[in-house]
Amino acid sequence: MVICGKERYNEPMTDTRTRILDTAQELIQTRGFCAMSFQHIAEIVGIKKPSIIHHFASKFELGKAVIQRYHQYFLGAMQGIQHDPNKSNRDALEFYFTPYLDFGESGDKVCLCGALAGEFMALGPEMQAEVREFFAAHERWLEEILTAGKAAGEFRFGGTSHQLARMFLSALQGGLLVKRATGSTHQLLDVIDVIRKQVH
Amino acid sequence: MVICGKERYNEPMTDTRTRILDTAQELIQTRGFCAMSFQHIAEIVGIKKPSIIHHFASKFELGKAVIQRYHQYFLGAMQGIQHDPNKSNRDALEFYFTPYLDFGESGDKVCLCGALAGEFMALGPEMQAEVREFFAAHERWLEEILTAGKAAGEFRFGGTSHQLARMFLSALQGGLLVKRATGSTHQLLDVIDVIRKQVH
DNA sequence: GACTACCTACCAATCGTTAGGTAGATTGCA
DNA sequence: TGCAATCTACCTAACGATTGGTAGGTAGTC
């Protein structure tokens, strides 16, 4: 299952709106929101710059739409495995690592909202609210998995699920950022390794 | 001891070059490098925009100088406490938390290099090298503290110092970013709490 | 005839940067 | 010591490029 957009990127039949969203997301994840321009998107998608406005009223609106879609894909997939009776909480935690690993392997991407958090004050109130909501929902999901896993005897850890969820989320977000900056592939793998040990 | 610049910000006698560096650093930490403009810096410092070029040949040069100063302040302070015979490795680790806590308390700052990591691909090769070097030196310091602390019986933990150093660095960088995005003060405090528990 | 999905041709604003000038302090030398 | 030359730290004015965004037109589809 593909989690975070861009799956049909090279198919010319994909509708323009989706290709704009895909390209914008990729540019934000690699270069950041402020460094992403309509001109750059238009060149990649193969349309003219003002045509983007036909699909998204403003750059902030486009940014909002990118986050909303990302939120829906990401959390949708996580909730899917959470409520799958054939999957354990440990399965869910392992599945949770995969998008981070995908970003890390795909070269130079970080989590969309991790990139946006770095330029948070320049985003405008609506995009800020979307980023905030993503992290909150994200953290809630992780906490539920940890709580359920502990109750089921799958996980063993001290402290609260809430604290540990915050730690894991922070560590993975930071791990991706540091990994890209240092170019060290193991940065993220080491973080995940420590997380695994921390719940058993 | 002040670690990260800006200490004499409101004194009019501070030389212009330092005030430009202070303002640029603050703007990068709050809004990001791409969203920071010469115009904005000039207005805050109280000079005209082209005068900045007299002190820094380009925006990338200014960015490089900001990172270099930050690196020197940060790592200098950390190495100071590392080699202080009156301070334990646990003291050093606690001291290491203070700049993160300061950023978190000062409202909406994140670590300079954490912000820059989010827009890494838009920074140009020289700034990228500075960010990379900062994280590498940073991680090395943490690893040394953990190794020395374990050898001295101050810390107890499984796995390698290297892995744990990577985890702590990532978690604190990510913690600051998520904290700003969610507005939750406890985000960073919880991360630090888990780190404390993890070495004892 | 209305709607969708584009286009061309602009717009004002802002970007980093350059050119060239000036006031004042510092320096080199007779 | 006196004076010219140089240097420092700014300034005003403007540069070309790029930014997000607007206006208005067109070809094709429902």
Side-chain angles (χ1 to χ4, degrees), chain B residues 41-102:
Chain B
I41 295 171
E43 279 164 19
I44 293 173
V45 172
I47 56 174
K48 297 296 169 180
K49 187 175 66 162
S51 302
I52 298 172
I53 296 289
H54 175 71
H55 297 277
F56 303 96
S58 71
K59 193 183 179 184
F60 285 143
E61 283 299 315
L62 172 57
K64 215 172 80 176
V66 170
I67 307 172
Q68 283 170 341
R69 189 185 65 157
Y70 185 85
H71 184 140
Q72 193 180 317
Y73 275 13
F74 200 101
L75 267 292
M78 293 307 148
Q79 284 166 0
I81 199 163
Q82 181 181 20
H83 299 119
D84 184 337
N86 297 320
K87 300 288 185 179
S88 66
N89 293 290
R90 186 164 293 277
D91 290 335
L93 186 63
E94 286 298 323
F95 183 67
Y96 172 69
F97 296 146
T98 57
Y100 291 100
L101 290 165
D102 286 345

Side-chain angles (χ1 to χ4, degrees), chain A residues 16 46-48 50-51 54-55:
Chain A
T16 305
I47 55 172
K48 298 296 169 180
S51 302
H54 174 72
H55 297 278

Side-chain angles (χ1 to χ4, degrees), chain B residues 1-197:
Chain B
M1 180 178 187
V2 178
I3 295 174
C4 295
K6 190 103 173 32
E7 64 270 35
R8 293 163 302 178
Y9 185 67
N10 286 320
E11 288 181 25
M13 299 312 286
T14 308
D15 72 297
T16 305
R17 188 189 154 88
T18 303
R19 274 154 61 213
I20 293 172
L21 283 170
D22 290 345
T23 306
Q25 181 178 324
E26 170 124 8
L27 287 175
I28 295 171
Q29 288 187 272
T30 49
R31 308 174 55 84
F33 181 74
C34 292
M36 169 195 81
S37 73
F38 279 12
Q39 186 58 49
H40 201 168
I41 295 171
E43 279 164 19
I44 293 173
V45 172
I47 56 174
K48 297 296 169 180
K49 187 175 66 162
S51 302
I52 298 172
I53 296 289
H54 175 71
H55 297 277
F56 303 96
S58 71
K59 193 183 179 184
F60 285 143
E61 283 299 315
L62 172 57
K64 215 172 80 176
V66 170
I67 307 172
Q68 283 170 341
R69 189 185 65 157
Y70 185 85
H71 184 140
Q72 193 180 317
Y73 275 13
F74 200 101
L75 267 292
M78 293 307 148
Q79 284 166 0
I81 199 163
Q82 181 181 20
H83 299 119
D84 184 337
N86 297 320
K87 300 288 185 179
S88 66
N89 293 290
R90 186 164 293 277
D91 290 335
L93 186 63
E94 286 298 323
F95 183 67
Y96 172 69
F97 296 146
T98 57
Y100 291 100
L101 290 165
D102 286 345
F103 292 149
E105 278 171 19
S106 74
D108 295 304
K109 279 191 215 166
V110 297
C111 172
L112 178 76
C113 291
L116 291 171
E119 33 190 357
F120 193 71
M121 307 302 285
L123 298 185
E126 300 201 8
M127 283 186 69
Q128 286 180 352
E130 294 293 336
V131 173
R132 181 162 32 243
E133 218 168 294
F134 173 82
F135 280 131
H138 193 136
E139 199 173 280
R140 231 178 293 131
W141 180 88
L142 242 183
E143 188 183 342
E144 286 168 15
I145 291 295
L146 290 174
T147 301
K150 194 176 191 180
E154 292 179 54
F155 300 142
R156 254 174 294 171
F157 56 84
T160 68
S161 302
H162 191 74
Q163 274 191 322
L164 216 57
R166 284 183 158 169
M167 173 66 163
F168 292 173
L169 170 58
S170 296
L172 288 163
Q173 293 289 334
L176 264 180
L177 286 162
V178 178
K179 182 248 159 208
R180 177 167 72 180
T182 59
S184 163
T185 321
H186 286 285
Q187 184 74 40
L188 188 66
L189 298 175
D190 282 346
V191 167
I192 291 176
D193 211 50
V194 174
I195 289 179
R196 285 202 188 100
K197 284 176 188 158

Side-chain angles (χ1 to χ4, degrees), chain A residues 14-173:
Chain A
T14 308
D15 70 296
T16 305
R17 187 189 155 90
T18 302
R19 274 154 60 211
I20 294 172
L21 283 169
D22 289 345
T23 305
Q25 181 179 323
E26 171 124 7
L27 287 174
I28 295 171
Q29 288 187 274
T30 50
R31 308 173 54 85
F33 181 74
C34 292
M36 169 195 81
S37 73
F38 278 11
Q39 186 57 49
H40 201 168
I41 295 171
E43 278 165 19
I44 294 172
V45 172
I47 55 172
K48 298 296 169 180
K49 189 175 66 163
S51 302
I52 298 172
I53 295 291
H54 174 72
H55 297 278
F56 302 96
S58 71
K59 193 182 179 184
F60 285 144
E61 283 300 315
L62 171 57
K64 215 173 81 176
V66 170
I67 308 172
Q68 282 170 342
R69 190 186 66 157
Y70 185 85
H71 184 140
Q72 193 181 317
Y73 275 13
F74 199 102
L75 267 291
M78 294 307 148
Q79 283 165 1
I81 199 162
Q82 182 180 20
H83 298 117
D84 184 338
N86 297 321
K87 300 288 184 180
S88 66
N89 293 290
R90 186 164 292 276
D91 291 334
L93 186 62
E94 285 298 323
F95 183 68
Y96 172 69
F97 296 146
T98 58
Y100 291 100
L101 290 165
D102 287 344
F103 292 149
E105 278 171 21
S106 74
D108 295 304
K109 279 190 214 167
V110 297
C111 172
L112 178 77
C113 290
L116 292 171
E119 34 190 357
F120 193 71
M121 307 303 284
L123 297 185
E126 297 199 10
M127 283 186 68
Q128 287 181 351
E130 294 294 335
V131 174
R132 180 163 32 243
E133 218 168 293
F134 173 81
F135 280 130
H138 194 135
E139 198 173 281
R140 231 178 292 129
W141 180 87
L142 243 184
E143 187 184 343
E144 286 167 15
I145 292 295
L146 291 174
T147 301
K150 193 176 192 180
E154 295 178 53
F155 300 142
R156 254 172 294 168
F157 55 85
T160 67
S161 305
H162 190 74
Q163 274 190 321
L164 217 55
R166 283 184 158 167
M167 173 65 163
F168 292 173
L169 170 58
S170 295
L172 288 164
Q173 293 288 334

